[in-house]
Amino acid sequence: MASILRLPSRFSRAISPWRSWAHRHASPVRAFSQSNFPLLDPAEKLEEESLSWYSPRNFYPVKIGEVFQSRYQVVGKLGYGGYSTVWLCRDLQQHAYVTLKVFERNSAEGQRETEAYAHLNSLNIVDHAGAKLIRKALDTFIITSPDGNFGCLIHPPLGMRLYDFRTQLRAKVLPEKIVKLTLVHLLLALDYLHTEAGIVHTDIQEKNIMMAIEDPSILTDFEEQEKSHPSPRKILDDDRMIYASRKLKKTKQHGRPTLCDFGQARFGSHTYSDDIQPWVYRAPEVVLRLPWNEKVDVWNVGVLTWDLFQQSHLFYGRDLNRKPSDGHHLAEMVGIVGLPPREMIRGSEYAVEFFDGEGNWKADIKIPTESLEMLEGNLSGESQQLFLRFLRKMLTWKAEERASARELLDDPWLRSA
């Protein structure tokens, strides 16, 4: 039988601001059907089972209706990620919906994310606009079982991911106005992380930016749907259930973009050297295996801006067989921003595989000839030039030449109507 343990007090104090609940009467536990549900073929992989590294021992078998901490009752499954499953819960003490994130067994990413949130909550800085644009952690605890420990985080619920918002549009790209609004919120969040918290996010992508919920009825509807039409699931030999996720009801009322997922975040140092970032968003210094700092997030935002607004990725970083390739990624960078500074090449032992001693390209990979002006397809004239100047403030080889998040907030294109 699994048991629940608190994290050490230094995490509890930093993560858990909800302490007034002890004097409130708890809501009754909800009843969910344990029989009237569609049963799926146990031989077919479902959701987290499709991950190449999936192991039943590594994912805690959360059940709908289960109550954690005598407080958080699971209402339904919202989704899963590379190292966690995510559930909508009812906080029986606060009479409110919350999101429960259950990490893989002994997850290094889960530990890193928990520590990042503990650090953020310990700052208690409320006068920076960016602090409100980062997902909050309300509580944390550990599930212990014979298979090991499973870290958990409690968050306020959020709505649609930016990726889902964009891909449901007919054009599959965001309108310019929405791109600007999204970037203002994202840059405010990053300015807070970089200047106040000393955190580098390192994993900025559409799936890690979510909309705040303006219409709370979508949460009530989610629970009622789970009661009346229980989620499909499969039952395995060890009585483990794997649930199909349920989507929140669509709404036209979307809140502010909120930056989430700190499982890859770094803090506590001025420079770092480990491999980071989603493949196509890696900064040049990461690809060249050089030390890096918070400016990798700025490069990341530059490439993401293009991907939100254009019909194709700016970089692919893959060879003709679609396999990840540093050489092809660097060739694309050269095509867009020119050759790197010689001192940057000379500082990287790995760079000699692609550049000669003078910084010239020597790899047997063709450099693309299309410029940003040729590739950009939504704007023209002065609007296009302003947009491309904005991008070029972020897409530079040398990190010290990139604008900061705060400087980018004053950019003419971003501030234009």
Side-chain angles (χ1 to χ4, degrees):
M1 180 68 68
S3 62
I4 311 293
L5 295 179
R6 301 299 303 181
L7 282 180
S9 59
R10 65 189 181 94
F11 288 104
S12 298
R13 286 195 300 270
I15 291 285
S16 301
W18 290 16
R19 290 303 175 208
S20 61
W21 62 266
H23 303 293
R24 304 183 66 180
H25 294 292
S27 297
V29 174
R30 268 82 162 153
F32 292 89
S33 174
Q34 301 301 322
S35 58
N36 183 28
F37 52 79
L39 195 58
L40 303 177
D41 183 353
E44 295 291 328
K45 291 183 178 180
L46 178 65
E47 305 227 344
E48 58 267 25
E49 291 181 302
S50 64
L51 299 170
S52 61
W53 57 88
Y54 174 81
S55 165
R57 292 184 64 241
N58 288 340
F59 282 79
Y60 181 76
V62 177
K63 288 184 171 61
I64 292 176
E66 188 171 4
V67 179
F68 294 102
Q69 294 291 92
S70 302
R71 178 176 181 182
Y72 305 116
Q73 185 178 19
V74 179
V75 169
K77 186 178 181 183
L78 289 167
Y80 70 100
Y83 53 90
S84 64
T85 54
V86 184
W87 308 79
L88 183 68
C89 293
R90 185 75 181 175
D91 183 341
L92 303 177
Q93 296 290 350
Q94 286 287 334
H95 311 283
Y97 290 104
V98 294
T99 297
L100 166 67
K101 191 172 189 177
V102 183
F103 296 109
E104 280 185 301
R105 177 174 59 95
N106 303 327
S107 168
E109 290 86 355
Q111 180 69 15
R112 183 181 290 123
E113 184 160 22
T114 301
E115 291 177 352
Y117 275 120
H119 173 65
L120 283 167
N121 282 358
S122 71
L123 299 177
N124 197 30
I125 298 172
V126 296
D127 59 350
H128 192 296
K132 299 180 178 66
L133 302 172
I134 295 166
R135 188 171 214 178
K136 302 295 186 290
L138 303 173
D139 199 1
T140 185
F141 56 89
I142 294 174
I143 303 171
T144 62
S145 77
D147 286 331
N149 294 334
F150 300 84
C152 301
L153 279 173
I154 296 292
H155 297 288
L158 289 173
M160 183 179 291
R161 303 179 304 175
L162 185 62
Y163 171 81
D164 299 313
F165 179 79
R166 179 182 62 81
T167 54
Q168 75 175 2
L169 300 176
R170 182 177 300 175
K172 306 302 181 186
V173 296
L174 297 181
E176 183 181 6
K177 181 179 179 180
I178 302 300
V179 173
K180 290 178 180 178
L181 287 172
T182 301
L183 289 173
V184 167
H185 288 80
L186 177 57
L187 291 169
L188 282 169
L190 285 180
D191 182 54
Y192 176 73
L193 290 178
H194 294 169
T195 63
E196 303 290 348
I199 287 180
V200 191
H201 189 279
T202 84
D203 192 18
I204 302 169
Q205 52 181 309
E206 292 174 278
K207 295 179 180 180
N208 289 340
I209 301 170
M210 301 181 72
M211 309 294 196
I213 293 176
E214 291 291 313
D215 178 10
S217 71
I218 65 176
L219 302 175
T220 306
D221 177 79
F222 183 100
E223 179 177 357
E224 293 306 315
Q225 286 298 315
E226 184 60 45
K227 288 177 178 177
S228 59
H229 299 90
S231 297
R233 65 203 68 176
K234 53 188 286 189
I235 303 177
L236 305 180
D237 293 338
D238 58 357
D239 201 34
R240 169 186 295 265
M241 290 188 184
I242 307 290
Y243 294 88
S245 298
R246 181 185 297 277
K247 291 184 179 295
L248 293 171
K249 183 176 66 175
K250 287 187 177 181
T251 176
K252 294 182 179 180
Q253 301 179 46
H254 297 291
R256 294 183 173 187
T258 303
L259 185 59
C260 308
D261 289 280
F262 286 79
Q264 299 298 331
R266 305 292 193 272
F267 68 96
S269 180
H270 294 295
T271 59
Y272 308 84
S273 58
D274 39 341
D275 192 24
I276 51 155
Q277 296 186 296
W279 189 262
V280 297
Y281 295 134
R282 292 184 307 157
E285 57 268 35
V286 176
V287 180
L288 291 172
R289 304 175 186 179
L290 290 166
W292 51 266
N293 59 23
E294 77 280 355
K295 289 296 184 69
V296 296
D297 283 344
V298 175
W299 174 278
N300 190 159
V301 172
V303 184
L304 177 64
T305 299
W306 182 275
D307 289 356
L308 293 174
F309 195 37
Q310 305 296 318
Q311 292 288 351
S312 61
H313 288 299
L314 185 58
F315 301 116
Y316 287 90
R318 297 179 181 274
D319 62 20
L320 296 178
N321 295 317
R322 298 185 178 181
K323 294 182 179 179
S325 166
D326 288 340
H328 285 78
H329 201 165
L330 288 167
E332 291 174 322
M333 290 180 180
V334 172
I336 293 298
V337 298
L339 289 167
R342 279 181 288 184
E343 63 269 24
M344 188 174 183
I345 296 302
R346 291 168 181 169
S348 167
E349 295 181 3
Y350 187 48
V352 298
E353 296 189 21
F354 311 102
F355 302 91
D356 64 23
E358 296 301 312
N360 297 308
W361 185 252
K362 72 174 188 179
D364 188 22
I365 299 171
K366 183 179 179 182
I367 295 175
T369 57
E370 295 88 356
S371 65
L372 284 178
E373 284 80 2
M374 295 169 62
L375 293 170
E376 203 289 314
N378 288 339
L379 302 171
S380 61
E382 184 179 0
S383 294
Q384 185 189 69
Q385 291 305 309
L386 286 172
F387 172 64
L388 297 183
R389 284 187 206 128
F390 174 70
L391 284 185
R392 288 183 171 117
K393 292 178 181 179
M394 295 178 277
L395 303 180
T396 66
W397 284 100
K398 297 175 71 172
E400 58 268 30
E401 294 178 358
R402 280 174 221 149
S404 67
R406 182 168 298 181
E407 290 167 340
L408 289 165
L409 285 164
D410 290 324
D411 179 82
W413 175 77
L414 198 60
R415 294 172 64 88
S416 61

